[in-house]
Structure formats: C-alpha cells, structure tokens
Amino acid sequence: MNRRFEIPMNRKLLAAVVAGGIVTGCAFEPGAPQSQSSGLDTSRQYAAAQSDSDQYGSGQFDSIRHAGPQLAVTADIYSDQLADASIDEPNDPLETFNRFVFAINETLDVFIFKPLAATYRFLVPPVVRDSFRNFIRNVETPVVLINDLLQGEGYRAEATMARFMINTTVGVAGFADVASDSGWDYHDEDFGQTLGTWGAGPGPYLVLPLLGPSNVRDGIGKLVDKFFSPLTYLGHFYDEADTASLAVTAVSGIDFRSRNIETLEELQRDAVDFYARIRSVYLQKRVDEINNGEIRDDLPTPGLSLGETEQVSGAN
Amino acid sequence: MVFGAAGPVAAAEPAKAFLQDLADTAMVQLADGELDDAQRDANFRKLFRQNFDIKAIGRFVLARYWRGATESQRDDFLQTFEDVLVQRFLPLFREAAGPDLSFVREATDSTMPDLVIVKSVIRAVGNEPIRVDWRLTQAGAGYKILDVVAEGVSLAITYRQEYASVVSQAGGNIDVLTEQLKSKVEDGAFAPR
C-alpha cells in the first residue's frame, strides 16, 4: 500500500506538502473586497468637497477647507490603502526564501529543463507532441470535471464531459483532439481556482521547487487535485503504474516548457527584476483563470485609478 | 464590410473604430518594407505619443514614487520608459504583415464611466489566439490608450509591480530604476530576437 504511492508522489507532492506545511497558521484572506469602489468614491467626495468649498464658502465645508493639505494626504493614503491594496503590497512575506528558490529553479531551467524542452521540440514533430498533450489532458479529465462541478459551472462541465466522450472514442483513447473541431474547446480547471471562486484569497506568494510560482491556496489546490487524478489510483491496478505516472508527469512538464520557450525568454529579457515580474504576471494570470477570462470591473487603470495624487490633492 | 467614418457602425462603437483606424495607420507607417529604421522609429514615437497617455501611464507605473520625484527625474523616467516601449514593440511591425489583430467589440466598466474597453484578438502564427483588451479614455475628438491587458495580464500593472520592487530596493530613488532601464535599452535588451 505504501509503495504504490511512493514514487510518483514523492517529488511533486513533497513540494506541495512543504507548501501545505507553511499553510498551518496562515489564514486565507477574503477575496477582492467590494469595499474598493466605496473607497474610491469617498476619496472623490473629499476632492469634490475641497473644490466645492470655494464655490459654496459655507460652514458646511469649512472643516474640510481648513483641513486642506492634511485631508489631501489622508485621501491619498486612504485611497491607496483601501482600493486594491494587493497591487501595491505584494503579499510575499517569504520573499527572501522565494527569491532563493526562484534562483535555483532558474539555474535548473538553464541547464536542464530548457535544453530538454528545446530538444524535445526539435526532435518530436508537432503532431506527435500534440497527441501526447491530448492524451494526458484526456486522462486528467476528472480533475477538470470535478472542479467545474464544484464551481457550479454547468456549461463548462458539459463541455468537459463532451470532450472526454468524443476524444476517448473517436479520438482514439484521447490522442486525437477531435472534440475541438466540434466546437468543444479545452479549458483547464484546478482546485486552486475552485477555492478562488469560493472566495479564498491567494495567501502568501510561494515559489515551489521545480514547480515554480504558486501561492498558499494554489499549493493546497495541487495537493487536492492529486486525489482527483486517475493517475494517482492507477497504482491499485498495475505494478508499473508508478513509472507510468512519473513518465506522464515528466512528459507533461517538458511539453509545457517546450510551448513556452519564447514567451519566457521575452518575459526575462524585458525585465529589470525578473522575480517581481513573474510574481506579478503569475498572480494576475491566476485572477484571470479564476474569473474564466472575464476581466472584473474596477481594475486599476492609469489616469483613472488610485495613486493619482495629482487628481486628489491638486498638487503638481 | 467597410463603412465610412460617419457610418452607423462607426458611430455605434467609436472607440473600436478609432483603434481600427490606428491599427491601419500603424500598418502603413510602420510595416512598410521600404522604410529605413530611423524613419520607422520616428513614426512609431509620433503615433505612440499621440495615442497613448504616456504621462498617466508613467505616473501609474511609478505609483507612490512619482510623488517624491522631481520634475527632471520624472521627465527622465518618462523618456526612458518611452525608449523601452519603442524597443519592445516596434520590431513587431517589422515583418511585412505586422501582428494579426482583429477588434471584436466595445465594452464599458460600471465603476469607471470614463473608461472604454475594446476587446480584440491577436493571432500569432502557429499559436493559440490571445485575448487583448485595450483600455482607453476619451480625449478631445479621439481617444488615448491607458493600458493594454493581454489574457488578464495588464501591462501597466505588471510594470508598476516590477518597478516598485526595484525602486523600493533602491530606497525610493527612481534614478536607479531609470539608469537600469537606460543601460538595458543600450544593450538592446528589449528587442525581441
């Protein structure tokens, strides 16, 4: 019973367990608070009141007029803190440790994973690479399906089921993604996203060894997804399942890396602080994934959002 | 189907029409194979300054550090930031076709009445289509672009969070950031291969 779970779980799962260990004692933050817009309204009211005080000149605004500069500063701080504090205060209490792991991952990537991925891409024709990815995605269908259902996404669950049925039969055990041609496009789901839709904030940012950027919530998500994945249970039936499962994980990782070689190169070349950049991109991407591509209202925007001290205080 | 500028389609989605015009203009002024690099560079900068609210973007990107910076520090940063973006995005137009960009529709944000969003899709060769949202605000007869969001990742927010890390490590001095950006521009670090 122990042996079956040993090999496929020890590397990837160990990383997730480490993340899980850090969790104890860390509380989830609530998801994006609705109070953001009220904070912005309030600061606008302050600004309006300041300019109104000249027009009206009544005692109504006297206290605000006298408060003057202090109020402007208060409004700045108030609005900076209240609305989307997360974009300015990265929740990264483990930054020193994370940067260390990040550096190690980068080194491993330069010497091992990127060359492997590039070779894989060079040697294996796209059709074959796609068929591997299709097969793996098909096998991991339960993970996506269960999370679709947990999120109450009926249409997406239907799409996932349809894909599984079509690709397993017509698509020959999932190697051919026939379902896409019929209009059922692939979408990914994981338990981290499910927790996100239930309102769990990401928690502290984490860089996992080998696995890369993550956070406390998503780290737990990876753990839970293991229980949803058929590969975990394959060990009950086949002795060689451990190796098979590890091979699938490895191919999946290399395939993913091979599809992102240029993207990551671009991100890196451009960056003055690659770690901070990856952190920013990863966290924004997770929000996008949780919202299934719907950009939320009130996204901080240049010229219209906070940190625009000129608007609020009137100073240059 | 092409409508004139006064046509019903253009009137219904003016920001989308504006961006379509801009994209067409960019294709003509930038993707022409006959142009020499200096001319292309000059054209790009002109289009960029006209159509992006650089000051607002730069202010947003520097966040709390804008307040403490002097006028010359700010100008220095804005100029360098422009150089960064030129080096980063101009080469995309060097290929004859430019990026394959199609504008889908216009949208608004219920909390920000001054904001107009135009949704588009970029299809790079052999890759999955990329969702790109253009966030603009009305400026005079036209619009100014405030931010570009690709697959949920905002250019402005990404630069803001990354540069905040650099500036805070430099103790709040934005010149350190500006110098680093300048030396990267000189190395041609931002140009895609």
Side-chain angles (χ1 to χ4, degrees):
Chain A
M1 174 75 164
N2 286 339
R3 196 190 72 84
R4 270 183 231 116
F5 285 86
E6 218 177 271
I7 297 172
M9 307 259 284
N10 74 346
R11 270 185 16 208
K12 287 194 86 160
L13 200 50
L14 180 61
V17 165
V18 166
I22 296 169
V23 162
T24 54
C26 294
F28 284 137
E29 294 158 12
Q34 293 310 309
S35 58
Q36 287 173 23
S37 40
S38 64
L40 183 57
D41 288 340
T42 317
S43 63
R44 279 193 184 139
Q45 282 168 25
Y46 284 141
Q50 262 199 300
S51 57
D52 280 346
S53 65
D54 292 333
Q55 285 179 24
Y56 293 85
S58 68
Q60 194 179 7
F61 294 111
D62 265 349
S63 54
I64 296 174
R65 211 180 341 148
H66 289 313
Q70 289 117 306
L71 189 64
V73 170
T74 309
D76 286 348
I77 297 171
Y78 187 62
S79 58
D80 276 349
Q81 280 179 352
L82 206 61
D84 222 346
S86 61
I87 83 161
D88 281 336
E89 308 302 325
N91 184 357
D92 195 5
L94 301 168
E95 183 166 339
T96 319
F97 174 69
N98 280 335
R99 282 187 183 266
F100 179 64
V101 178
F102 190 78
I104 295 180
N105 284 343
E106 251 194 294
T107 312
L108 286 173
D109 190 57
V110 165
F111 289 108
I112 304 179
F113 297 117
K114 186 166 156 187
L116 251 179
T119 310
Y120 174 72
R121 189 170 72 171
F122 180 70
L123 289 180
V124 182
V127 175
V128 180
R129 281 188 273 127
D130 284 348
S131 73
F132 287 159
R133 183 178 71 167
N134 294 337
F135 176 75
I136 293 170
R137 280 180 173 174
N138 206 45
V139 168
E140 299 275 31
T141 295
V143 177
V144 179
L145 183 62
I146 293 175
N147 283 308
D148 278 335
L149 294 169
L150 287 174
Q151 292 175 31
E153 295 276 359
Y155 289 122
R156 284 164 75 85
E158 188 187 324
T160 306
M161 271 306 315
R163 283 183 58 84
F164 181 71
M165 305 243 210
I166 298 175
N167 285 339
T168 310
T169 52
V170 183
V172 188
F175 281 104
D177 186 1
V178 184
S180 285
D181 298 335
S182 311
W184 302 106
D185 285 333
Y186 175 74
H187 70 263
D188 198 15
E189 279 295 345
D190 56 71
F191 195 67
Q193 290 184 50
T194 301
L195 288 173
T197 57
W198 289 352
Y205 180 67
L206 284 177
V207 179
L208 302 178
L210 293 180
L211 301 177
S214 185
N215 52 58
V216 166
R217 175 196 61 204
D218 295 341
I220 297 178
K222 286 193 214 291
L223 256 174
V224 175
D225 282 333
K226 282 288 172 201
F227 288 102
F228 298 158
S229 167
L231 291 174
T232 313
Y233 301 101
L234 224 53
H236 280 294
F237 302 107
Y238 301 108
D239 284 336
E240 270 67 44
D242 300 335
T243 330
S245 178
L246 183 61
V248 165
T249 308
V251 169
S252 174
I254 294 294
D255 179 80
F256 175 80
R257 184 70 186 87
S258 74
R259 291 173 194 275
N260 290 291
I261 294 181
E262 279 76 23
T263 311
L264 273 161
E265 271 179 8
E266 274 218 20
L267 277 173
Q268 184 160 21
R269 175 173 32 239
D270 209 357
V272 282
D273 185 338
F274 189 40
Y275 169 85
R277 169 164 297 206
I278 292 288
R279 180 177 63 194
S280 173
V281 169
Y282 175 77
L283 293 174
Q284 290 183 68
K285 200 76 192 75
R286 284 305 281 175
V287 171
D288 184 62
E289 284 171 1
I290 288 165
N291 295 330
N292 291 336
E294 292 300 314
I295 294 195
R296 64 181 178 128
D297 281 351
D298 207 20
L299 185 72
T301 302
L304 302 177
S305 287
L306 313 155
E308 301 312 307
T309 59
E310 276 80 347
Q311 281 178 12
V312 178
S313 68
N316 184 18
Chain B
M1 268 206 296
V2 175
F3 289 97
V9 173
E13 293 194 307
K16 180 176 154 194
F18 169 83
L19 280 183
Q20 188 62 61
D21 272 346
L22 179 59
D24 296 337
T25 310
M27 283 305 302
V28 167
Q29 291 192 2
L30 302 176
D32 188 350
E34 306 286 315
L35 288 170
D36 66 44
D37 284 344
Q39 188 58 45
R40 203 192 312 263
D41 191 286
N43 288 349
F44 187 95
R45 285 181 197 266
K46 183 150 151 275
L47 281 176
F48 183 63
R49 285 177 200 155
Q50 268 173 354
N51 295 292
F52 284 75
D53 191 345
I54 304 180
K55 190 143 184 236
I57 296 173
R59 209 165 60 204
F60 181 87
V61 163
L62 283 186
R64 74 194 89 152
Y65 302 112
W66 178 270
R67 245 179 277 163
T70 65
E71 193 72 31
S72 76
Q73 278 180 312
R74 293 175 185 177
D75 288 340
D76 206 11
F77 171 76
L78 287 177
Q79 183 56 53
T80 311
F81 190 53
E82 181 184 307
D83 294 339
V84 167
L85 294 173
V86 169
Q87 199 178 85
R88 180 97 177 58
F89 292 108
L90 177 53
L92 293 176
F93 292 92
R94 215 164 266 154
E95 294 104 57
D100 176 5
L101 176 61
S102 50
F103 297 102
V104 178
R105 64 184 177 88
E106 221 171 279
T108 53
D109 180 316
S110 61
T111 64
M112 292 193 263
D114 294 330
L115 180 70
V116 184
I117 305 169
V118 177
K119 297 184 178 288
S120 73
V121 178
I122 290 189
R123 282 183 186 82
V125 180
N127 289 333
E128 314 257 343
I130 302 174
R131 276 176 292 126
V132 178
D133 280 14
W134 301 80
R135 298 164 74 80
L136 318 93
T137 190
Q138 208 146 3
Y143 292 87
K144 288 252 187 203
I145 299 171
L146 301 173
D147 194 7
V148 184
V149 181
E151 298 268 327
V153 179
S154 149
L155 218 65
I157 291 181
T158 306
Y159 279 127
R160 174 166 165 148
Q161 292 183 322
E162 183 190 342
Y163 292 172
S165 176
V166 175
V167 179
S168 81
Q169 282 176 21
N173 178 10
I174 69 170
D175 286 337
V176 171
L177 170 67
T178 309
E179 286 314 311
Q180 284 191 31
L181 289 175
K182 276 189 191 159
S183 77
K184 278 200 172 260
V185 169
E186 274 159 29
D187 293 342
F190 296 104
R193 199 119 11 106

